[in-house]
Amino acid sequence: MILSIGLNPAVDVTYHVSTLTVGTTNRVNRAHAHAGGKATNVARVLHQLGEPVCLISMAGGRTGDDFRADLQSSGIPAELVPIAGATRRTVAVIDAAAATLLNEPGPTVSRAEWRTFLMTYQMSLSRARVVVLCGSIPPGVPTDAYQELTELAHSAGVMTILDTEGPKLLKALAARPTVVKLNLEELSATMSRDVHDDADLAAAALGLRERGAQAVVVSRGSDGVVAITDSGIWQAVATTISGNPTGAGDALAAGLAVGLAHGREWEAILIDAVALATAAVAVEVAGAVDVAVLERVRTTVSRRPE
Amino acid sequence: MILSIGLNPAVDVTYHVSTLTVGTTNRVNRAHAHAGGKATNVARVLHQLGEPVCLISMAGGRTGDDFRADLQSSGIPAELVPIAGATRRTVAVIDAAAATLLNEPGPTVSRAEWRTFLMTYQMSLSRARVVVLCGSIPPGVPTDAYQELTELAHSAGVMTILDTEGPKLLKALAARPTVVKLNLEELSATMSRDVHDDADLAAAALGLRERGAQAVVVSRGSDGVVAITDSGIWQAVATTISGNPTGAGDALAAGLAVGLAHGREWEAILIDAVALATAAVAVEVAGAVDVAVLERVRTTVSRRPE
């Protein structure tokens, strides 16, 4: 069983407009809403693959009711700690040219709510092989939350995948997460320097390993991933698919979790995870993969010793 | 008692961002939501003035619950016909330079829901002196709804203020609304020609009177209003106030309703209504007036025979 942990979930609202024009009234042609956030997307992909998963998150207010109802209708197993604050919304305004995102700040989580969350998490660890920790941390939750969650998982013999960035990632490295997964922008933001070529990337990723990460997987969009592991530095790249890259990173995290949960070697883990990320690009919404693309896509993996 | 009728109400969500940039992720610094739509704003202003008012509208889904809860906490009397579809949201994204609006389409109203609405409306007419009919018509409601609502009001001896535009306004003119209120853009859209100077405006407004409107009030922003009435053509302009013009039109409609409800002459009606619209500009949110400004503002009214 894989646990997907979302500290700052959101109801994702999508507005389709003809052309978004700043400073005017824009008519929304089509609107839809679903339970979103990175952890929800990870859980959704795993559920689609038939992989046993449980989303552990928080929900409050009427948006929290919407969040809970959407998960129930999707059949995704979830434990949602009730909170007093209202679950946030993110609004994606899609026109022919671009996607414009509006991210509400999360509700403030009280100390008591955070303790209940930790208890729920700890009780779930006994059923888990891998935990995926992803996304931002809402106000009220300690900034070293990912360190604590990683330590608790390891104490229970559960592997961890950390998909976040910046100081909250750096703080968690002390707990030696099994895999740190991030993209080039997140790597640059975390290292406070622009990471652009292969040498930079390797140096930055090795830096994260030295600070505690057992493995580091860096995604580079259609250029595939670089994985710095105990068994060397791996590069994996798949057939290029055109589509919507939103959610591809979450599918990659889901794929890494499947590989770890089944005790596979890095080569096999990366082949499947990169294929999964590619199959996510083929689907318009985040949190789903195109099964036909998944069967067709070919991933090329190469390795050089660290 | 004044009835304010909203066929397509909305929960107005306001997002404050630093600079709205299309095609990127925008962090929302501050978010708030309240029951909105033109009729709600009219009811809110009347309630603030201590004028007996009832909002008659529809509400459905969890957004409908939000709408109802916000009215209750504001103390605004309302009769909300329950509908199966979810009440829409409008999102206003405010940055330093501009307001960008995203208007969701309304839910589809069923035939049975519309009949219940008409019954609720008719039962309320016995308590009313003036009805304000404003805004758009949601899918499922007949496009001649404003004609029917106007006729029903007049049959009950109740005066009507119609604050809408386009074909739904033109259709309602046959029912001879007491006052048609619109701004220059709405007048242009309704007449399908660009109305810009005073002669155009008078000709267009007289056209609406010939087609049935008993009086026509055209607002011209900070240039005040022109009213074509039985007692001549009036011009009214107030001291200029800087601020947010959103909701000023709704305050103008509220002011016209107060004047009609109290049986005042056009000169007195316009003095108060234009002052009210000006006092609404001084407040950031729609549906409220600045009482200090209201007491200070001076309106100049002049008349020439029709």
Side-chain angles (χ1 to χ4, degrees):
Chain A
M1 142 94 65
I2 297 165
L3 302 181
S4 185
I5 311 300
L7 302 184
N8 205 3
V11 170
D12 284 347
V13 177
T14 307
Y15 285 160
H16 293 271
V17 302
S18 303
T19 309
L20 175 60
T21 312
V22 170
T24 68
T25 296
N26 297 268
R27 193 187 151 75
V28 174
N29 301 322
R30 218 154 31 94
H32 66 260
H34 66 269
K38 287 161 84 97
T40 308
N41 294 343
V42 169
R44 226 181 253 285
V45 168
L46 291 170
H47 183 66
Q48 188 190 351
L49 296 175
E51 191 70 36
V53 62
C54 183
L55 173 68
I56 302 183
S57 194
M58 313 184 207
R62 270 188 271 268
T63 22
D65 293 342
D66 285 335
F67 187 86
R68 197 180 291 274
D70 185 58
L71 284 177
Q72 269 164 3
S73 76
S74 306
I76 300 168
E79 299 226 22
L80 303 178
V81 172
I83 59 171
T87 299
R88 70 195 175 120
R89 273 191 206 94
T90 65
V91 177
V93 186
I94 312 285
D95 68 11
T100 305
L101 298 181
L102 294 155
N103 285 357
E104 291 184 13
T108 298
V109 176
S110 76
R111 219 180 260 256
E113 288 161 353
W114 176 238
R115 271 198 297 270
T116 306
F117 183 89
L118 281 177
M119 209 157 61
T120 307
Y121 173 74
Q122 279 188 278
M123 282 166 57
S124 304
L125 282 172
S126 60
R127 302 181 286 143
R129 285 188 61 80
V130 179
V131 164
V132 186
L133 303 160
C134 38
S136 54
I137 292 181
V141 171
T143 54
D144 62 356
Y146 282 133
Q147 180 178 355
E148 185 168 9
L149 294 170
T150 303
E151 282 167 356
L152 288 170
H154 292 183
S155 303
V158 178
M159 289 174 281
T160 51
I161 298 175
L162 189 54
D163 183 356
T164 189
E165 61 165 338
K168 57 191 172 298
L169 162 58
L170 292 175
K171 279 189 184 163
L173 293 178
R176 308 214 60 228
T178 316
V179 178
V180 165
K181 187 239 114 188
L182 67 188
N183 63 30
L184 275 185
E185 292 72 45
E186 290 161 342
L187 184 58
S188 298
T190 303
M191 306 308 283
S192 302
R193 67 169 188 265
D194 195 26
V195 175
H196 42 88
D197 64 20
D198 278 8
D200 279 353
L201 188 160
L206 283 167
L208 293 179
R209 276 201 85 197
E210 276 158 23
R211 292 170 79 156
Q214 296 182 51
V216 179
V217 175
V218 183
S219 62
R220 305 186 297 174
S222 57
D223 292 332
V225 309
V226 175
I228 286 86
T229 74
D230 278 339
S231 61
I233 299 181
W234 299 85
Q235 298 213 12
V237 63
T239 337
T240 303
I241 293 283
S242 67
N244 174 14
T246 310
D250 304 329
L252 178 64
L256 296 172
V258 172
L260 290 186
H262 292 271
R264 296 192 185 123
E265 300 294 324
W266 273 105
E267 183 170 14
I269 291 175
L270 292 172
I271 286 174
D272 288 351
V274 172
L276 209 56
T278 306
V281 172
V283 182
E284 199 195 334
V285 297
V289 295
D290 185 320
V291 176
V293 170
L294 186 61
E295 284 173 6
R296 199 172 72 226
V297 74
R298 291 284 164 269
T299 311
T300 313
V301 179
S302 59
R303 181 175 77 101
R304 59 181 173 86
E306 193 179 334
Chain B
M1 140 95 65
I2 297 165
L3 302 181
S4 186
I5 312 299
L7 302 184
N8 205 3
V11 170
D12 284 346
V13 177
T14 307
Y15 286 159
H16 293 271
V17 301
S18 303
T19 309
L20 175 60
T21 312
V22 171
T24 69
T25 296
N26 297 268
R27 194 188 150 75
V28 174
N29 300 321
R30 217 153 34 92
H32 67 260
H34 66 269
K38 288 161 83 96
T40 308
N41 294 343
V42 168
R44 226 180 254 283
V45 168
L46 292 170
H47 184 67
Q48 188 190 354
L49 296 175
E51 191 70 36
V53 63
C54 184
L55 173 67
I56 302 183
S57 194
M58 314 183 205
R62 271 189 270 268
T63 22
D65 294 341
D66 284 336
F67 187 86
R68 196 180 291 273
D70 185 59
L71 285 176
Q72 269 165 3
S73 76
S74 307
I76 300 168
E79 299 226 22
L80 303 178
V81 172
I83 58 171
T87 300
R88 70 197 174 117
R89 276 191 203 93
T90 64
V91 177
V93 186
I94 313 285
D95 68 12
T100 304
L101 299 181
L102 293 156
N103 284 357
E104 292 183 13
T108 298
V109 176
S110 75
R111 219 182 260 256
E113 288 162 353
W114 175 237
R115 272 198 298 269
T116 307
F117 184 89
L118 282 177
M119 209 157 62
T120 307
Y121 174 73
Q122 279 189 276
M123 282 166 57
S124 304
L125 282 171
S126 60
R127 302 179 286 142
R129 285 188 61 80
V130 179
V131 164
V132 186
L133 302 160
C134 36
S136 54
I137 291 180
V141 171
T143 54
D144 62 356
Y146 282 134
Q147 179 178 356
E148 184 167 11
L149 294 170
T150 303
E151 283 167 357
L152 288 169
H154 292 185
S155 304
V158 178
M159 291 173 281
T160 51
I161 298 174
L162 190 53
D163 183 357
T164 189
E165 61 166 337
K168 56 191 174 297
L169 162 58
L170 292 175
K171 279 189 183 165
L173 293 177
R176 307 213 63 227
T178 316
V179 178
V180 165
K181 186 239 113 187
L182 66 190
N183 65 29
L184 275 184
E185 291 73 44
E186 291 162 340
L187 185 58
S188 299
T190 304
M191 307 307 283
S192 301
R193 67 169 188 266
D194 195 28
V195 175
H196 42 88
D197 65 21
D198 279 7
D200 279 352
L201 187 159
L206 283 167
L208 293 179
R209 276 202 84 199
E210 277 158 23
R211 293 171 77 156
Q214 296 182 52
V216 179
V217 176
V218 183
S219 63
R220 304 185 296 173
S222 57
D223 292 333
V225 309
V226 176
I228 288 87
T229 74
D230 278 339
S231 63
I233 299 180
W234 299 85
Q235 298 213 14
V237 63
T239 340
T240 303
I241 293 283
S242 67
N244 175 14
T246 310
D250 304 328
L252 178 64
L256 296 172
V258 172
L260 290 185
H262 292 272
R264 296 191 185 123
E265 300 294 325
W266 272 105
E267 182 170 13
I269 292 174
L270 291 172
I271 287 174
D272 289 350
V274 173
L276 209 55
T278 306
V281 172
V283 182
E284 198 196 334
V285 297
V289 296
D290 185 319
V291 177
V293 170
L294 186 60
E295 283 173 6
R296 199 173 72 224
V297 74
R298 291 285 164 268
T299 311
T300 313
V301 179
S302 60
R303 182 175 78 102
R304 58 182 174 85
E306 195 179 335

